[in-house]
């Protein structure tokens, strides 16, 4: 990897920011689909509560080995001239500011110029329609992003992105909403939506044939689950109607750029009569 080229760091964390593992699975997909090698890591000591993020026992060639939670950085070669740095690990339990500072220090060593965080959350959305994706950066937000209106608890992704901007890294967050009625199983549809948004942001077309196939299988499973419950079926139907109405509203205003302003003006004129 060229030391003079400005790299992009893509970060995802398991836990609170990772509904259905959609965000971390996006990075696992990149690591598995392209030439990738681990280039840095952050040791777990001091950052994790082992009763929450437990070490695991695995066997390599018949020998038992304890694997401790840690944050790993990978160099992912998407093509001969396109490299990404990915960061993946559990959300730390302690010392977030120190942890984020260590991440950004490593990012500086790797000549990173921009930091992109991925996240996923449960929401009222349905498997039969495109999943909502919000993209927000330090320049502007897209029309589907609510980041400017949100107030409340945040995860490590928000803290890392805020500290990155303070240190003059370009910062972007990409979030996908996944159906809460599907439980906490993996959601390949959410992972695919994140990778599509990330690829659009970076101008890269990621390999996704496996994810497309898994998404179809996941949607079929979700449809079968829906058919088994009248209550769930009614709920999904209502979500579909809400989504369709919102799309129709967007199309109506998009077909005439002055239509939304005209509606506001007409409403104001009507109210002046009273």
């Amino acid at each position: 990897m060229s030391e003079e080229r400005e790299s992009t760091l893509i970060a995802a964390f398991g836990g609170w920011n990772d509904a259905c593992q959609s965000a971390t699975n996006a990075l696992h997909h990149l690591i598995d689909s392209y030439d990738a090698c681990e280039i840095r890591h952050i040791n777990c000591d001091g950052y994790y509560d082992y009763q929450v993020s437990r070490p695991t026992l695995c066997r390599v060639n018949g020998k038992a080995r304890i694997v401790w939670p840690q944050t790993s950085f990978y160099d992912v070669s998407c093509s001969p001239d396109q490299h990404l740095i990915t960061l993946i690990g559990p959300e730390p339990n302690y010392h977030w500011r120190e942890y984020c500072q260590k991440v950004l220090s490593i990012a500086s060593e790797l000549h990173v110029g921009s930091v992109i965080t991925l996240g996923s959350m449960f929401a009222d959305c349905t498997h039969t329609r495109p999943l909502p994706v919000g993209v927000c950066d330090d320049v502007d937000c897209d029309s589907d992003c609510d980041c400017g209106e949100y107030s409340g608890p945040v995860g490590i992704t928000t803290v890392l992105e805020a500290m990155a901007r303070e240190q003059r890294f370009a910062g972007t967050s990409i979030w996908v909403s996944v159906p809460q009625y599907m439980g906490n199983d993996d959601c390949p549809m959410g992972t695919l939506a994140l990778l599509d948004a990330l690829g659009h942001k970076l101008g890269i077309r990621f390999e996704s044939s496996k994810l497309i196939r898994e998404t179809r299988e996941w949607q079929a499973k979700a449809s079968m689950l829906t058919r088994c419950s009248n209550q769930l079926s009614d709920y999904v139907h209502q979500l579909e109607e809400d989504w369709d109405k919102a799309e129709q509203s967007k199309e109506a205003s998009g077909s005439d750029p002055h239509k939304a302003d005209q509606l506001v003006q007409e409403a104001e004129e009507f109210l002046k009569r009273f």
Side-chain angles (χ1 to χ4, degrees):
M1 183 176 63
S2 171
E3 297 250 322
E4 293 143 4
R5 182 169 39 76
E6 198 170 75
S7 302
T8 299
L9 174 67
I10 318 295
F13 299 89
W16 194 75
N17 317 269
D18 193 29
C20 293
Q21 297 73 242
S22 293
T24 50
N25 280 346
L27 294 194
H28 283 304
H29 178 81
L30 293 180
I31 292 168
D32 293 341
S33 299
Y34 299 99
D35 289 335
C37 62
E38 185 176 350
I39 53 176
R40 295 282 197 287
H41 69 269
I42 297 176
N43 288 328
C44 52
D45 289 343
Y47 295 117
Y48 293 104
D49 178 349
Y50 295 138
Q51 291 182 325
V52 177
S53 300
R54 289 186 178 273
T56 57
L57 176 67
C58 68
R59 296 187 180 276
V60 179
N61 297 326
K63 294 183 178 180
R65 178 187 173 192
I66 299 291
V67 179
W68 297 88
Q70 72 172 26
T71 299
S72 299
F73 295 76
Y74 291 85
D75 175 16
V76 179
S77 176
C78 300
S79 71
D81 59 347
Q82 287 181 319
H83 285 245
L84 298 173
I85 306 299
T86 64
L87 177 161
I88 190 167
E91 181 179 60
N93 304 105
Y94 308 116
H95 309 301
W96 280 16
R97 282 177 290 188
E98 178 187 327
Y99 174 89
C100 289
Q101 184 54 54
K102 185 166 288 190
V103 168
L104 296 175
S105 176
I106 293 174
S108 294
E109 293 174 14
L110 299 174
H111 302 278
V112 165
S114 60
V115 176
I116 300 177
T117 59
L118 305 182
S120 54
M121 59 186 175
F122 290 113
D124 290 324
C125 54
T126 172
H127 68 284
T128 59
R129 300 292 187 271
L131 297 180
V133 176
V135 180
C136 177
D137 57 38
D138 49 6
V139 179
D140 54 32
C141 299
D142 73 8
S143 58
D144 296 323
C145 184
D146 297 328
C147 62
E149 302 175 4
Y150 177 75
S151 297
V154 298
I156 191 67
T157 55
T158 304
V159 175
L160 176 61
E161 188 188 352
M163 290 183 63
R165 290 179 181 177
E166 289 174 0
Q167 298 186 29
R168 301 188 181 281
F169 291 89
T172 301
S173 61
I174 305 177
W175 285 80
V176 65
S177 297
V178 298
Q180 56 186 354
Y181 58 84
M182 287 301 291
N184 201 40
D185 291 341
D186 287 2
C187 177
M189 187 176 181
T191 297
L192 182 60
L194 280 175
L195 284 176
D196 285 346
L198 177 62
H200 180 75
K201 176 73 179 177
L202 298 174
I204 301 174
R205 187 178 181 86
F206 294 121
E207 164 58 38
S208 58
S209 55
K210 179 182 177 183
L211 273 177
I212 291 173
R213 183 177 66 255
E214 291 175 346
T215 293
R216 290 172 181 158
E217 295 171 354
W218 179 86
Q219 287 176 307
K221 176 183 175 182
S223 294
M224 182 180 298
L225 180 67
T226 301
R227 289 193 296 269
C228 293
S229 168
N230 291 334
Q231 183 178 2
L232 181 56
S233 179
D234 291 342
Y235 170 67
V236 170
H237 182 64
Q238 184 61 56
L239 292 177
E240 292 171 338
E241 287 188 343
D242 293 343
W243 191 93
D244 292 341
K245 288 177 182 177
E247 287 302 300
Q248 290 170 3
S249 177
K250 287 180 185 178
E251 290 176 6
S253 60
S255 60
D256 182 356
H258 303 293
K259 191 166 185 178
D261 292 337
Q262 180 182 347
L263 290 172
V264 172
Q265 184 177 354
E266 289 176 356
E268 290 175 345
E269 291 295 330
F270 175 78
L271 291 172
K272 287 178 182 178
R273 300 174 191 172
F274 299 92

